[in-house]
Amino acid sequence: MSEHAHTERGRTVWALVITSVAGFMAALDNLVVTTALPSIRQDLGGALGDLEWTVSAYTLTFAVLLMFGAALGDRFGRRRLFLAGLAVFTGASALAAMAPGIDSLIAARAVQGVGAAVMMPLTLTLLTAAVPAAKRGMAYGIWGAVNGLAVASGPLIGGSLTQHVSWHWIFWLNVPLGVALLPLARLRLDESHGTGAPLDVPGTLLASGGLFGIVYGLVRGPSDGWTSALVLTGLFAGTALLTGFVHYSTRAKNPMLPMRLFRSRAFSGINAASMLMFLGMFGSIFLLSQYMQGVLGYSPTEAGLRMLPWTGMPMLVAPVAGILSDRIGGRPVVAAGLFFQAAGLAHLAWVATADASYGVQLPGLILSGIGMALFFAPASNLVMSSVRPAEQGIASGANNALREVGGALGVAIMSSIFSAQGGYESAQAFVDGLRPSLVTGAAVVALAGVAALFIPARRRAARVAGPADQPAPALETAAR
């Protein structure tokens, strides 16, 4: 192996390790707190609404600022802003671990979300810049597998640390990882920039305000009621602001998110599929983790171990799926994964009872795990190859923002269905609410599979519409 090839390989490996671990940290903190809420309440006090805000504060700032974080990276340097986001996230994690009261914990969680919003979209952009085009499928597969594992294993990790150590270690876990990554990222990642256009201040305010209103309404709706004045105000004002953002972005000279990107079937299709996938998956995991503990009687650790056929499968399948997407294109792999995921959720809904054995649940868990792995691997490739290199930062930010909105929407919708059809009064009441919720999740993920089928096939000349209708970087891979 030549010295140049050896250097390139080392650069690729370091970029993959750094971005995957950083993505894992940001994705993990979406759901890691859920199983620790009773212990947090015992130590810090607070009403039920305060406890919910320990989850919602992170989700809210994370989702709202994702596109802004990507835009900052494009303008001022992606590695520089990645380091800044990582430092903020790591420091806020330490503050959360040392929080003396519930209010300070909520504040620290909100700051965590700010750091994650800057850091997360740039992980994918930095990885793309470091990996040769021919190997990106495998790299995205590993990156996607790690991120998928973080989302799905959040309740397990949070529950295990709370049960065997302390809830504080949910947050302390991030600190040594962040401290180790900061010098590595500074030394091993190359700097890159976007188009160099000035920051789009009006677009940033419209997009951030719109996302804030909608995500706030979604996360507060199940607990405050969908007719609550604040919830309705958030939803309607957020929708109005996002409508204004779209209208403004079609006319602005240098918009934060060029609306012409959505003329690409590849970009529109994978973003629709991503949002629907997270809607179905987040809501399902949120309820299934409670089902295994509250109904079937497993401890948090036992429940997490029994979820491993689902949560651990991406680590085995996703790298292979990434290689497969390089060979046959991403569309069939993504679509197959979504239909596998839908079948797994439908099976879990069918066999859910108050005393279901683990054996009858296992096929659904395996199908869901395979499906999640097949989706995460090529989805990132589809996003990044559907736009020009200079626009990959904002494309990653937009895709991550839509995923987060989908996740918040999934928890809100499925919690509402669960409350309408069942409840926490008894094991049977929980099952009565769980089954229609999982059916809804399965239907939404199947719809995501249909959306994926609208992505252009490989080797079809996918073009990104622009002023001169310039083609995307590689016509053969633009539709992968």
Side-chain angles (χ1 to χ4, degrees), residues 21 80 82 132 172 176 178 188 214 253 264 302 319 342 367 395 444-445 461 465 477:
V21 174
R80 179 183 299 172
F82 173 80
W172 281 126
R188 300 292 182 176
I214 287 178
K253 183 178 180 181
S264 163
E302 291 170 340
L367 282 172
V444 170
V445 175
T477 60

Side-chain angles (χ1 to χ4, degrees), residues 133-402:
K135 298 180 180 179
R136 284 177 188 160
M138 182 175 65
Y140 290 147
I142 296 171
W143 181 91
V146 173
N147 280 268
L149 178 64
V151 171
S153 63
L156 164 64
I157 294 175
S160 297
L161 288 173
T162 301
Q163 181 179 345
H164 298 295
V165 189
S166 164
W167 66 264
H168 301 83
W169 280 93
I170 293 172
F171 305 112
W172 281 126
L173 178 66
N174 295 322
V175 176
L177 291 175
V179 169
L181 286 183
L182 282 167
L184 286 175
R186 178 67 181 83
L187 295 171
R188 300 292 182 176
L189 295 178
D190 294 332
E191 185 62 280
S192 65
H193 295 78
T195 60
L199 280 177
D200 177 15
V201 176
T204 298
L205 293 175
L206 286 169
S208 299
L211 286 172
F212 179 87
I214 287 178
V215 176
Y216 176 86
L218 292 176
V219 299
R220 301 307 304 168
S223 58
D224 293 353
W226 294 105
T227 58
S228 163
L230 284 176
V231 170
L232 288 175
T233 300
L235 293 175
F236 283 115
T239 301
L241 287 171
L242 285 184
T243 302
F245 171 71
V246 172
H247 180 76
Y248 164 81
S249 297
T250 58
R251 290 162 174 77
K253 183 178 180 181
N254 295 301
M256 181 173 68
L257 177 61
M259 289 297 110
R260 60 180 170 75
L261 296 181
F262 290 96
R263 299 176 194 169
S264 163
R265 280 173 52 199
F267 187 77
S268 297
I270 191 56
N271 277 291
S274 295
M275 187 177 74
L276 292 170
M277 160 66 171
F278 269 64
L279 194 160
M281 184 184 70
F282 256 64
S284 300
I285 291 174
F286 179 74
L287 290 174
L288 282 169
S289 63
Q290 296 180 66
Y291 167 69
M292 285 195 164
Q293 296 176 62
V295 175
L296 301 183
Y298 300 126
S299 69
T301 304
E302 291 170 340
L305 290 173
R306 282 164 175 78
M307 291 280 280
L308 276 178
W310 185 351
T311 59
M313 193 64 70
M315 297 302 294
L316 301 176
V317 178
V320 177
I323 297 171
L324 187 63
S325 72
D326 281 340
R327 296 184 178 179
I328 67 173
R331 181 181 72 165
V333 183
V334 164
L338 291 168
F339 289 127
F340 268 112
Q341 178 83 78
L345 291 176
H347 177 85
L348 290 169
W350 180 46
V351 302
T353 62
D355 57 353
S357 69
Y358 182 62
V360 301
Q361 299 174 66
L362 191 57
L365 295 171
I366 293 173
L367 282 172
S368 296
I370 293 172
M372 187 165 66
L374 292 175
F375 170 81
F376 275 119
S380 301
N381 201 359
L382 284 164
V383 172
M384 302 304 276
S385 60
S386 65
V387 299
R388 302 184 184 97
E391 297 169 328
Q392 287 176 339
I394 196 58
S396 174
N399 182 256
N400 276 282
L402 287 170

